[in-house]
Amino acid sequence: MAPFRPKYITFDCYGTLINFQMAEAARDIYGAQLDEPKMAEFIKNFSAYRLDEVLGDWKPYAEVVHNAIERTCKRNGVTFRDEDAKTVYERVPTWGPHADVPTGLAKVAKEIPLVILSNAMNSQIMSNVEKLGAPFHAVYTAEQAQSYKPRMKGFEYMFDMLGCGPEDITHVSSSFRYDLMTAHDLGIESKVWVNRGHEPANPYYGYQEIEDISGLAGVFGL
């Protein structure tokens, strides 16, 4: 059977394509105050609170970061400062891609249109996208959709904008919790998990696994 050829390949951006460095930012700010076990706990809590902050009504991502850090500091007995949250937020547009991304994307961009659906602000995302080294047909943000992943509304917004349905795309992400679980629930059958070590495998959700974006062309027989 020939490989599935989608109308669009849709991507999560931060973590999947862009080297997501929230943990490094937290370590730079709070590492001098915490020993390694406590720093690891802080990073784990910060990740959990960021997820919790995006599950409700949309709010600017600066507030997501601010609230998540404030809650993490409270839980871990660390003094919270507004300027620390601002520093973390302002780092986001400076992040670049994983080393495998530009070449891997270039191989598929020639054949299939690429789309991003990201938990980002409009003012942040294009600085990161410009560093990816490949043309994108469209870039959609949580700010545009007024909803963050893992909620479904962002995906539905993307379908409406593209004029397609779940059966027309392949969605690519390194995260089950933010992307692939929701993609499964929405009926996106063609999914690719980029195993960057963020989360354990979960075969229930039905996907093809690749180690990094250099393996993406092979998914489509390119």
Side-chain angles (χ1 to χ4, degrees), residues 116-129:
I116 282 175
L117 176 64
S118 178
N119 279 359
M121 298 290 288
N122 299 338
S123 61
Q124 293 176 306
I125 189 73
M126 294 316 297
S127 175
N128 304 113
V129 172

Side-chain angles (χ1 to χ4, degrees), residues 160-180:
D160 288 345
M161 296 300 293
L162 293 174
C164 72
E167 68 280 2
D168 297 316
I169 71 168
T170 295
H171 192 65
V172 182
S173 179
S174 61
S175 176
F176 290 98
R177 297 187 77 178
Y178 278 94
D179 283 84
L180 296 178

Side-chain angles (χ1 to χ4, degrees), residues 106-120:
K107 290 181 180 179
V108 294
K110 298 174 183 178
E111 303 290 337
I112 306 171
L114 310 182
V115 174
I116 282 175
L117 176 64
S118 178
N119 279 359

Side-chain angles (χ1 to χ4, degrees), residues 75-89:
R75 181 169 174 178
N76 291 270
V78 175
T79 300
F80 170 74
R81 303 187 307 168
D82 287 339
E83 56 264 37
D84 292 337
K86 183 178 179 182
T87 295
V88 173
Y89 175 78

Side-chain angles (χ1 to χ4, degrees), residues 145-148 150-158 182 186:
Q146 293 288 285
S147 179
Y148 289 103
R151 299 187 69 182
M152 292 181 177
K153 185 177 176 182
F155 284 91
E156 292 168 335
Y157 173 84
M158 179 176 69
T182 305
L186 283 168

Side-chain angles (χ1 to χ4, degrees), residues 22 25-26 29-30 42 46 61-71 73 79-92 124:
M22 282 291 185
I29 294 170
Y30 301 104
F42 187 101
F46 183 29
Y61 195 65
E63 293 183 26
V64 171
V65 173
H66 179 283
N67 295 349
I69 293 180
E70 185 172 28
R71 296 168 73 185
C73 286
T79 300
F80 170 74
R81 303 187 307 168
D82 287 339
E83 56 264 37
D84 292 337
K86 183 178 179 182
T87 295
V88 173
Y89 175 78
E90 290 179 346
R91 284 194 183 190
V92 175
Q124 293 176 306

